[in-house]
Structure formats: C-alpha cells, structure tokens
Amino acid sequence: RCLSMHSKHRNILQYKASRCVPDTNFKQLCHSISVDDPLRTLFRLNSSPEECPLSGHFTFSYSRGHGSCSYPRSSLSQCGNGSSLVFRYQACPDVKGSESGEERAHCIASWREGSTNYFVARMEKPQAKPSDVETGFRCFVYKKNYSGFEVSMSGEAECKLYTATEGQTTFVLNKLRVGDGSCMYPSWMRTHRTYLSMDGLQRFHINHKGSLISISLSGYRCMSVSRVSGSLAVLRLGRITHTQEDACNTRLFFNNVK
C-alpha cells in the first residue's frame, strides 16, 4: 500500500491510500492514487491549543439539514484564553433537529487551502465520556461576510468539507457590537483592579481602561454598583444573558438579583 501524506499543521496530518496489493512496483502503485480516493485526517492527541480564528462574541442561526433555527437566537463566545469557543444552542419548536445545549470547542489547528479557510477543534460536551476524546474532533470551514461569518462543521472526526455552506451543521454568525470604552466605572472603583466576593467564590477584575469587568462566566449581565467604603462596594448582578439587549430587562434583572 502507498500513502500520500500531507502535513496541514503540526497537529494535523492528511493522507490518501492506494489499494493493498502484493505489487512490488511502488512507483506505479503510488501513481494509482487518484483525486477521487477518500481523504483521511489524523488528529494529534494531547495537542497544544491554538487561537481560534473566530474572535469575539456572536449570535447565530444554525441548520442540521432540516431548516434554519434562527429564533430564539443562539450564541457563540470566545473564551478569555482565545483558544476555546462556547456554543450555546437554542431550540426552535418548528425546526427538526434543533435542541438546547452547550458545547465547547478547543481549537488545535487552522490553515488555508486555496481560498478555503479551515480550523479544527476538539469538542467537549457536558457529561462526555473519556472515550469520546478520540472521536470528538471536528473540522470547520469558515468564510467572512459583511456581518460576521458563514461556518460549516463536520459530523465526524474528518475533514471532508469544501465550503462554508455545506456540512453536517451550518452556521450564520452575526458579530455582536462591542462597546467603545466610553462607559467607565466610577473613579473610586477603578482605584483597585481586582475585587473578591465576600464568600471568596468569585473574583472580579477591572481592565486597564476601567471600562470592563471580567467575571468567570461568559455573557452579558446588568450590574448596579454602590460604594460602601474606600475599598468595599456592593454589586447587584442580574442573570447572565446571551445578548446585550436582554441584560437589563426588568424581568431578568431587578427580580433576580444576586
């Protein structure tokens, strides 16, 4: 058997194989591999993380072959480490195959082939089994558009994708607007960059500009801040939401503060 192998990335190998024959003419055997032979992909286990090419926060619609699930909107967030994405799916009552759930994608590779952009991620679902690691890799094709990205995802641990609009699951991502930093936290609060909750379970970090507080969860929260003393403040937090518009909705904030 002859193998034609190509390294797409330090964590990815792809190959095509000839038929298995007792022929000793290796050159002729290798020439028998055609463009129509199946492409197989090898994923490095325990691979080092890579920054995901889809940076920022998005809402998205998705399809698993039975129509687009576009309302309620699902959301996608890039984690602070830059190498992980969190997909939060919403279910559409009238779309077969749609279901609510959360899935994390840990990016391990990205490359460009002609005009097509690829990346590979190891998918992690809640309550996943250890044996799922080897079969949990997924290949993505993505294409930038005016409002975000079109993305396709493979259904198995393979990279038989060629466009961003054809795959086991396809997505249309719309990038969420990011604040311009004109909203600043009070000057007395910016004196300290890190705060710890009274129970010691949550840590809050204020960025250098004083316009952003980082909390352990990813999403949007409405916040009310009251000063108690020079180094003590009371924060009232609403429920975490997937969109900026819903964060300060009275139904989600004032009746459900923490």
Side-chain angles (χ1 to χ4, degrees), residues 9 15-16 21 34 36-38 46 56 94 168 174 191 246:
H9 184 274
Y15 72 95
K16 290 186 176 184
V21 297
S34 74
D36 296 325
D37 287 329
N46 301 319
D94 57 341
Q168 196 268 344
N174 294 300
T191 303
D246 291 337

Side-chain angles (χ1 to χ4, degrees), residues 65-81:
H66 303 284
S68 176
C69 178
S70 56
Y71 188 83
R73 299 288 287 178
S74 301
S75 67
L76 171 65
S77 300
Q78 185 182 36
C79 296
N81 59 14

Side-chain angles (χ1 to χ4, degrees), residues 55 62 64 99 111-112 127 180 206 219 223:
S55 60
Y62 67 97
R64 293 185 173 129
E99 57 182 354
W111 71 94
R112 185 179 178 90
Q127 302 168 341
D180 59 6
I206 302 177
M223 177 186 296

Side-chain angles (χ1 to χ4, degrees), residues 8-27:
K8 297 298 182 182
H9 184 274
R10 66 175 179 271
N11 292 327
I12 302 294
L13 286 176
Q14 290 187 332
Y15 72 95
K16 290 186 176 184
S18 71
R19 66 191 185 281
C20 189
V21 297
D23 193 344
T24 56
N25 189 336
F26 300 116
K27 186 174 182 180

Side-chain angles (χ1 to χ4, degrees), residues 4 7 34 41 48 63 65-66 68 101 107 115 123-124 126 130 149 154 157 175 183 212 217-218 238 252 257:
S4 175
S7 175
S34 74
T41 303
S48 56
S63 173
H66 303 284
S68 176
C107 299
S115 60
M123 307 305 290
E124 177 187 324
F149 293 92
S154 65
K175 193 158 190 175
C183 176
L212 178 68
L217 296 174
S218 177
L252 298 176
V257 296

Side-chain angles (χ1 to χ4, degrees), residues 6 9 13 19 44 53 60 132 142 192 197 221 225 233 241:
H6 302 275
H9 184 274
L13 286 176
R19 66 191 185 281
R44 185 190 296 273
F60 67 83
D132 293 338
Y142 65 99
H192 305 280
S197 62
R221 271 182 167 175
V225 183
T241 64

